[in-house]
Amino acid sequence: MFDGFDMGDMGEGFFDPHTFGDGGPPPPPRTESHPLNVTLEDLFRGKKMRVRLVRSVICKHCKGIGGKKSVLRECFACGGRGVCMTSRQVAPGLFSQAQVVCATCSGSGKVVPDSHKCRKCKGTGTTDEKDAVEIHIEPGMRDGQKITLSGKGDQKPGQPPQDLVFVLHQEAHSTFTRTGDDLSVKAQIDLVEALCGFSRVLLKHLDGCLLEVSHNSGVIKPGDVLCISNKGMPQEKRSQNRGDLFIVLDIKFPDSNWKPDPALKSLLPNTNWPKPPQDDSSQTEIASGNPIPLEAYEIRMRKQSQQSRDTNYGYGPGFGYTQEPG
């Protein structure tokens, strides 16, 4: 009868800590989670935020009883015990019993007749109250990290207050990208700076400080990256330790109207390109190229690729195709 049944599961379910009698410690406080939008600047510098909320608290008029104490009656659902027994199947033909808080009396074992319910809370034992909590965002915290405020959530009679949990949600940043404790940012330099070096304010950091960057150790090519140590995100609880800052450089070339001085060519290094192999039948053609924007090239390639797919799958001219043997 126990074919395919794990006896370990049976023991775990049958000897539940809330099975029979009073059994086991009370369950831990429940949690109430809320998203909290923050900026990358907030996570870099740290911030104190005050959040307003409405929560359920024990009714001050009836002290959470739901009515006058003198009219309390024993709960008919649990017999005044505050808990009910529930059964669950742990195997074919085998059930375990466990205690749960009575839903009728919320675990108090007493109920208030309808005619004598508290006018303030309507017999529920709780009322809504406006409150405000202060949240401390430490420098270096991460997207998705949780901040728990113990006992600041909703209250219910006979139960510990809920914990209030805020889940950090970092908004997308227009300039910086975070990866762990490191930061990445794009910056643009001129062609003369790429060839001859530079030393100037290149960007504004997350703390509002202007960052002056120097580079004089060689030619910079498009896509090169500068690494600045200890200028990334601070580490939580060790804010003096920081990650690195990576600056991805984009070179701004002169526009098409710029006419270089012939003397400039003599200052630049000569480049000797290897000659292509030729035979007696080779001919040389002269062609001139017209520069076009990168966006126009990408649009053209997408169109050609789509037309090729349409043709191969029979959506355009040349419906169907054949494959030669081999």
Side-chain angles (χ1 to χ4, degrees):
M1 73 182 274
F2 293 106
D3 184 31
F5 174 66
D6 188 345
M7 296 298 289
D9 291 341
M10 181 188 73
E12 182 181 352
F14 194 79
F15 297 104
D16 189 278
H18 302 291
T19 302
F20 306 114
D22 295 330
R30 294 176 297 168
T31 59
E32 179 184 344
S33 297
H34 299 278
L36 183 64
N37 292 334
V38 292
T39 64
L40 189 56
E41 285 85 355
D42 296 335
L43 299 177
F44 183 88
R45 294 178 289 198
K47 186 177 183 179
K48 291 182 180 179
M49 302 179 68
R50 194 167 180 83
V51 178
R52 299 184 181 274
L53 50 86
V54 177
R55 62 173 184 159
S56 298
V57 297
I58 301 298
C59 177
K60 297 180 176 62
H61 187 71
C62 67
K63 304 297 188 289
I65 298 174
K68 292 184 179 181
K69 193 173 183 178
S70 58
V71 300
L72 289 178
R73 299 290 184 268
E74 185 179 273
C75 176
F76 64 89
C78 64
R81 297 172 59 237
V83 293
C84 297
M85 303 301 294
T86 182
S87 298
R88 64 187 181 100
Q89 187 175 2
V90 296
L94 185 63
F95 294 83
S96 72
Q97 289 185 309
Q99 284 186 156
V100 295
V101 176
C102 177
T104 303
C105 64
S106 300
S108 66
K110 304 291 183 180
V111 293
V112 179
D114 291 343
S115 58
H116 293 83
K117 286 184 177 180
C118 174
R119 291 174 296 176
K120 190 76 173 177
C121 66
K122 304 297 188 294
T124 62
T126 61
T127 57
D128 289 340
E129 179 182 83
K130 293 182 178 179
D131 197 4
V133 294
E134 193 171 75
I135 303 171
H136 295 263
I137 300 174
E138 300 293 337
M141 282 188 164
R142 300 171 183 265
D143 180 42
Q145 191 167 344
K146 297 179 180 179
I147 299 177
T148 302
L149 304 180
S150 299
K152 293 295 185 179
D154 289 338
Q155 300 177 359
K156 288 188 178 182
Q159 299 181 21
Q162 290 184 355
D163 291 340
L164 196 57
V165 178
F166 290 95
V167 183
L168 299 181
H169 175 67
Q170 179 198 314
E171 300 171 349
H173 200 274
S174 59
T175 305
F176 289 87
T177 301
R178 179 182 184 178
T179 307
D181 293 329
D182 295 331
L183 289 172
S184 299
V185 64
K186 293 182 179 180
Q188 193 173 64
I189 60 174
D190 292 328
L191 178 59
V192 64
E193 293 177 315
L195 297 175
C196 305
F198 62 89
S199 180
R200 65 177 174 90
V201 173
L202 202 59
L203 56 93
K204 187 176 183 180
H205 214 316
L206 292 171
D207 57 1
C209 294
L210 300 177
L211 188 62
E212 182 173 333
V213 180
S214 298
H215 178 78
N216 298 290
S217 59
V219 175
I220 295 176
K221 300 181 293 297
D224 278 356
V225 180
L226 299 181
C227 176
I228 303 180
S229 300
N230 205 39
K231 285 297 182 181
M233 291 292 295
Q235 297 180 4
E236 187 184 0
K237 303 186 184 302
R238 294 185 299 175
S239 57
Q240 70 278 7
N241 297 336
R242 293 169 58 173
D244 297 333
L245 173 63
F246 295 93
I247 305 177
V248 182
L249 296 174
D250 178 37
I251 301 175
K252 181 181 180 182
F253 285 80
D255 58 32
S256 56
N257 296 325
W258 179 72
K259 302 298 181 183
D261 190 327
L264 177 62
K265 187 175 181 180
S266 63
L267 298 176
L268 296 175
N270 293 324
T271 302
N272 295 319
W273 296 107
K275 293 183 178 180
Q278 293 183 345
D279 53 37
D280 295 339
S281 62
S282 298
Q283 294 182 355
T284 302
E285 294 184 4
I286 299 177
S288 61
N290 298 318
I292 63 172
L294 177 61
E295 294 79 5
Y297 163 77
E298 292 175 342
I299 292 174
R300 174 69 175 270
M301 292 301 102
R302 284 198 296 269
K303 281 185 176 180
Q304 293 288 350
S305 178
Q306 183 62 47
Q307 290 176 1
S308 177
R309 287 196 298 269
D310 291 347
T311 300
N312 288 339
Y313 287 102
Y315 298 133
F319 177 83
Y321 64 94
T322 59
Q323 183 175 357
E324 295 182 0

